[in-house]
Amino acid sequence: MATENTVTTLERMANLLRIRSIESTQAANSGHPTSCASMAEITSTLFFNVMRYDPQNPKNPAADRFVLSKGHCAPILYAAWAEAGAFPVADLNSLRKIDSDLEGHPTPRLNFIDVATGSLGQGIGFAAGMAYAGKYLDKSDYRVYCVMGDGECSEGSVWEAFWFSSFYKLNNLCGIIDVNRLGQSEATPLQHEMETYRKRVDAFGWHAIIVDGQNVTELLDAFKEASTIKDKPTCILAKTLKGAGLKGIENELDWHGKPLGDKAAGIIADLKKLVNEETLIRPEIAKITAKVAEIKKSKEIKLSSPPNYDGKKEIATRLAHGTALEKLGKSCEHVIALDGDTKNSTYSIKFHDSFPKRFVECYIAEQNMVAVAIGIATRQRYTCFVHTFAAFLMRAADQIRMGAISFTQVKYVGSHAGISIGEDGPSQMALEDFAFFRTVPNIVCFYPSDAVSAERAVELAASYEGAVYIRTSRPNFPIIYKNDEVFHIGQAKIVVESSADCCTVVAAGVTLHEAVKASEILKKIGKAIRIIDLFTVKPIDRDTIRKSVNATHDRLLIVEDHYLEGGLGEAVMAALADQPNITIAHLAVREVARSGKSAELLDKYGIDAQHIVNAIEQLIENKT
Amino acid sequence: MATENTVTTLERMANLLRIRSIESTQAANSGHPTSCASMAEITSTLFFNVMRYDPQNPKNPAADRFVLSKGHCAPILYAAWAEAGAFPVADLNSLRKIDSDLEGHPTPRLNFIDVATGSLGQGIGFAAGMAYAGKYLDKSDYRVYCVMGDGECSEGSVWEAFWFSSFYKLNNLCGIIDVNRLGQSEATPLQHEMETYRKRVDAFGWHAIIVDGQNVTELLDAFKEASTIKDKPTCILAKTLKGAGLKGIENELDWHGKPLGDKAAGIIADLKKLVNEETLIRPEIAKITAKVAEIKKSKEIKLSSPPNYDGKKEIATRLAHGTALEKLGKSCEHVIALDGDTKNSTYSIKFHDSFPKRFVECYIAEQNMVAVAIGIATRQRYTCFVHTFAAFLMRAADQIRMGAISFTQVKYVGSHAGISIGEDGPSQMALEDFAFFRTVPNIVCFYPSDAVSAERAVELAASYEGAVYIRTSRPNFPIIYKNDEVFHIGQAKIVVESSADCCTVVAAGVTLHEAVKASEILKKIGKAIRIIDLFTVKPIDRDTIRKSVNATHDRLLIVEDHYLEGGLGEAVMAALADQPNITIAHLAVREVARSGKSAELLDKYGIDAQHIVNAIEQLIENKT
């Protein structure tokens, strides 16, 4: 039982946090003070009684984690950290200013934030990843807390995370839903139907506790109860009021995302009486009790053995990826793989079979899989490779976008890209993946064309300090490179060349092999071409391409198994935009594709060897 | 009570469908016969007893709808339609061949398919849209059936649809989950825990019925019960076996997505004995009983009144969008708007307030919102406009991708694009939207820069026979165009020009206004520039840009509030790739942005008027 003094102090702290939230949003003249107010008691209870952490060292790996899924409540989160001593309280009024890291929604520019939030429904997936890491990888006793809004519980990603967390019995995870009844533009669909929330949470395998979210005693009891549950996560369903404690605003619609304006001064004056700051002794922060092993990762993670192909057999890059991943697993015990029930297609199964304890089966829930990976990868302890068909990574586009804002270093691996997959048809063919992934700031996008380069792409990905996308292919490809070939990020390879080349062809994946076939057809009629394997689509090897084009009569053909927009073609054209006098042709997929044999599709959509031959002849005709 | 004869016949039909599924996947040498087998009784019962439809006219608007969410079971779906008489049974063996529309996963190239499936977890959202249309828009008695796999129920989008459908009391919707226990690479997380499924479905507000999914009598009873439920949708939880009825394969792992090979002949022989086709009298298809009003839509939907701005007040394009949408609503009663609890930000609230019965509040569940819109828009009866922040449309990227494969004509409207939104920070800023949307085949991407052009974009969008993306902006912009200005898809506008222009600037949205400011700064130092308002980013007005660049000393600057990749810059550079001697500069956002005032951010990330001035001076220096 909490003492009366503890309860009173936490109530006063809650009102102090309300004041800070109102003040900072007044100073910013924007923000969400009413959404902060409903979670004031939740926040004071967590930060000043329940959570074990070190405000002076927020990244302590043994500390409890906190994720604010309802990221628009950043002001009260910042207030809690400031009042806990992480930074001066006076800084709170720099909220949302361009020279402050106290942004409108939390981002890891702040050392006490692990993941960016603000796109709703994602926080609980990140938290599930952290809890998974705590229980199964770190094998530590730290706990993970995540505050969600009620409105965001309409997002399916929330229920993916609930499913995942109960399946893996993440009893170290405690979610809190701030059921304040009101969304942005109207009431939430369930309003205050607390029993419906309980039924849903319970059905998804969590321990549910309904509390009055403005009642500190009930909250303290609930957090205590949560800590005793041994076989499942706990969700505290906190019935609250939007704008709780703000006179004239509490429980009223049309106060979403607005500072209090004229009403602020009066409300702050009222709250100050409740806080009585002069006599307020701030509670001590609970000490960290969990132990976590230090992670000793070398800066470079190497393949345990080099590629080993005799060149006689064709190998799919997806298979080579699996081989390389298994080798990384041998070299480094902090490499983790995740898959969404496609491991026998993406070949992450090779890692799964060798290192079952470092493999996370996420089933068919790509959004949650990406969120879990981002969660596991926080604090740079584990290197996570996420797998599914490239087409289905698009399901997690918004998580990947938010991952970029979190500066995550997750490695995304998409298999079965392009029309070359054949009979399964367009729903399974990624043709827009590079357009999307290339927008991620500082990402490296690999597109390996044979087994040797695929293995090296995986190796380079592991050590790269940032996000990575690797596009692998379904068909078997001939081996192009010797086993000792050296690869670098941003370095293309010239795979066919002569002094008589009449044109440069830039390709990767299946189209590289079509280009090689085209060069053999052309050779028979006395024409030679230079062929560049792009290897990384971002960053792009501008110099190699430019020099090659200049050396081949300023003729360039780009051919890709991707839609016309945003892929290799536009990347290369943008890189060469400053080069005068180049004649460029571009072969790519221009319409919704269909089922058929791989070779038939490459022909039908105009990216096979014969179309390359024709395009080159056309280029030569145009420019002689 | 079904007669014994009915039951026996449907059992025989189920085995006939099994045979057809095995035969066609044998002919294709790929596909998913075991996933078909588990749903054979479900299919025979639905297609040959329960559903009211016309195989000769599958698009009859009064017919019951069927969505195969587990799209990989296309072979049994095709078999059912063939056996019902929609096309010759012999055609089934063209499955997955390039000259056949019987693709690996269903697409609306087939006249009996409304929506493409094959990316899992989406079908029930499409079906929810169809059921919403049936109950509230068509006000008709047709019913909607959707067969899901158990594996795909890990997808959050399924639970978004469950939430939506119970909230809107869609008792005309019947979902069937084929709980066959086995996923692609291992057992599903819930295996045969039927009571857990029941709890979840029930908690999400549906009527749940557990049946033996291989038992025709139980299925018939369940469908009958479903039709009597008046206040909620029904979900039939069918406990089945993967490969049911296929000796030696039934309930075995490692048979996902494989034809039966050597085992096929023996199994077919066994099944043929059960079918005894010579004596099989195929059941009559149930007659359509629902009535649906004919929709009379003129080919062009016009604004009820032209734009009406006096030019004195600055107006946000998002507000002008709302105004135009309301005008469309007045002109045409088949225009529908959907929003995800952002209607007071996107201004779809203007439509909501005028036409509440044609507005669908989808709450914070963007995937389901897009799926519902695609469902409502099937059979070309309604023109749907979908709204949220542009950043959050990315949440539905995979639904939009599948929508493209469905040839949907849904109009996506994304507000609050770019860093110009200011203080809310990067989580709310779409900076990759054009990169993604431009990949959709045949889409039109509008990026209006003032209220007049925004209204006309909305009008053009409504009549365009394909998907549309409209990017609107948060800040207020000056009015550029006269109220009677005429706009066309793919036609850019020159907004500033003179005979002395030294450079062309291509821009849109906030950067167009920055370019105009830059022209005024440059004028003071005696330099003139030509400014092009792109208006549509796809298709792009190559001719206007080319002529303008040629007339302005072959100098071109593109400036955009979007990441460097995949936006206006790359679109323009690709369009001009064949133009020699052009000097190009490109200003765009190159890193993760942050919070701040709009003008500060435009400066910080290098896309404001002063940066335009500097870039132009640089261009002139390079090329004099």
Side-chain angles (χ1 to χ4, degrees), chain A residues 474-490:
Chain A
R474 181 176 185 274
N476 293 326
F477 294 150
I479 306 290
I480 301 171
Y481 298 104
K482 296 219 169 94
N483 287 316
D484 61 358
E485 181 82 23
V486 178
F487 291 84
H488 299 285
I489 289 170

Side-chain angles (χ1 to χ4, degrees), chain A residues 96 101 103 105 120 155-156 160 185-186 341 343 345 363 366-367 395 424 438 570 594-595, chain B residues 96 101 103 105 120 155-156 160 184-186 341 343 363 366-367 395 424 438 570 594-595:
Chain A
R96 293 175 162 243
D101 288 338
E103 298 196 66
H105 295 76
L120 292 170
E155 291 282 12
E160 292 181 10
S185 72
E186 61 173 81
D341 193 22
K343 57 186 174 288
S345 292
Y363 300 99
E366 297 79 9
Q367 292 192 75
R395 198 62 157 267
D424 272 343
R438 285 178 57 239
E570 291 194 353
R594 60 189 303 144
S595 292
Chain B
R96 292 174 162 243
D101 288 337
E103 298 196 66
H105 295 75
L120 291 170
E155 291 283 11
E160 292 181 9
Q184 174 181 323
S185 72
E186 60 173 82
D341 193 21
K343 57 185 175 288
Y363 299 99
E366 297 80 8
Q367 292 190 77
R395 197 62 156 267
D424 272 344
R438 284 179 57 237
E570 291 194 352
R594 59 189 303 145
S595 292

Side-chain angles (χ1 to χ4, degrees), chain B residues 124 130 379 424:
Chain B
I124 190 68
M130 295 174 189
R379 308 196 184 195
D424 272 344

Side-chain angles (χ1 to χ4, degrees), chain A residues 56-369:
Chain A
Q56 263 62 54
N57 179 17
K59 284 278 186 282
N60 186 318
D64 290 343
R65 270 69 163 162
F66 180 80
V67 178
L68 181 65
S69 189
K70 48 183 310 206
H72 52 289
C73 297
I76 197 163
L77 175 65
Y78 301 158
W81 280 99
E83 290 293 345
F87 63 91
V89 170
D91 289 1
L92 289 173
N93 289 343
S94 70
L95 179 72
R96 293 175 162 243
K97 295 202 168 49
I98 194 158
D99 51 0
S100 168
D101 288 338
L102 299 173
E103 298 196 66
H105 295 76
T107 78
R109 292 186 208 270
L110 295 161
N111 68 352
F112 53 85
I113 301 293
D114 287 308
V115 283
T117 50
S119 182
L120 292 170
Q122 299 195 8
I124 189 68
F126 301 141
M130 295 173 187
Y132 187 95
K135 180 158 184 168
Y136 294 106
L137 305 173
D138 289 337
K139 296 186 176 60
S140 177
D141 292 326
Y142 62 79
R143 293 179 61 77
V144 182
Y145 296 91
C146 175
V147 174
M148 291 165 267
D150 49 352
E152 67 177 317
C153 290
S154 299
E155 291 282 12
S157 52
V158 169
W159 301 97
E160 292 181 10
F162 269 74
W163 187 315
F164 175 91
S165 304
S166 64
F167 184 80
Y168 286 110
K169 302 190 194 318
L170 301 179
N171 60 312
N172 56 342
L173 175 60
C174 180
I176 304 99
I177 306 181
D178 176 13
V179 187
N180 69 15
R181 198 183 67 83
L182 297 175
Q184 172 180 322
S185 72
E186 61 173 81
T188 63
L190 289 183
Q191 302 212 26
H192 268 149
E193 291 178 34
M194 302 307 293
E195 282 302 326
T196 305
Y197 279 104
R198 185 210 290 272
K199 268 178 78 176
R200 293 187 185 182
V201 163
D202 174 69
F204 273 72
W206 286 46
H207 179 62
I209 309 172
I210 296 176
V211 298
D212 172 350
Q214 256 73 62
N215 185 312
V216 165
T217 307
E218 289 189 28
L219 284 166
L220 286 172
D221 289 348
F223 284 118
K224 194 158 192 179
E225 183 177 326
S227 72
T228 66
I229 305 295
K230 294 299 170 212
D231 59 342
K232 54 173 74 169
T234 294
C235 187
I236 297 175
L237 298 161
K239 184 177 175 182
T240 62
L241 296 177
K242 197 153 176 171
L246 315 186
K247 209 173 129 188
I249 286 170
E250 182 178 283
N251 207 23
E252 293 289 330
L253 202 59
D254 287 330
W255 273 103
H256 180 90
K258 289 175 190 168
L260 305 193
D262 296 347
K263 290 180 181 277
I267 287 171
I268 289 174
D270 289 349
L271 291 169
K272 279 196 168 164
K273 286 179 211 148
L274 298 172
V275 175
N276 192 5
E277 201 176 348
E278 297 71 42
T279 66
L280 176 68
I281 299 162
R282 284 167 179 70
E284 272 188 48
I285 308 299
K287 292 273 173 298
I288 294 170
T289 57
K291 301 270 176 280
V292 169
E294 201 187 332
I295 292 225
K296 285 175 194 145
K297 260 201 296 191
S298 62
K299 219 169 154 66
E300 293 211 336
I301 307 172
K302 294 286 190 188
L303 296 177
S304 60
S305 64
N308 183 19
Y309 299 96
D310 63 12
K312 289 174 191 155
K313 208 177 141 195
E314 297 198 344
I315 304 280
T317 51
R318 60 186 170 122
L319 173 57
H321 165 77
T323 303
L325 196 67
E326 192 186 4
K327 291 179 182 177
L328 285 184
K330 279 183 195 154
S331 299
C332 174
E333 59 182 332
H334 305 297
V335 172
I336 309 295
L338 304 90
D339 202 309
D341 193 22
T342 58
K343 57 186 174 288
N344 49 353
S345 292
T346 63
Y347 281 109
S348 72
I349 198 166
K350 298 192 77 166
F351 188 95
H352 165 272
D353 290 350
S354 290
F355 311 105
K357 291 189 176 165
R358 287 191 268 144
F359 183 92
V360 192
E361 178 54 73
C362 295
Y363 300 99
I364 307 173
E366 297 79 9
Q367 292 192 75
N368 187 62
M369 173 170 66

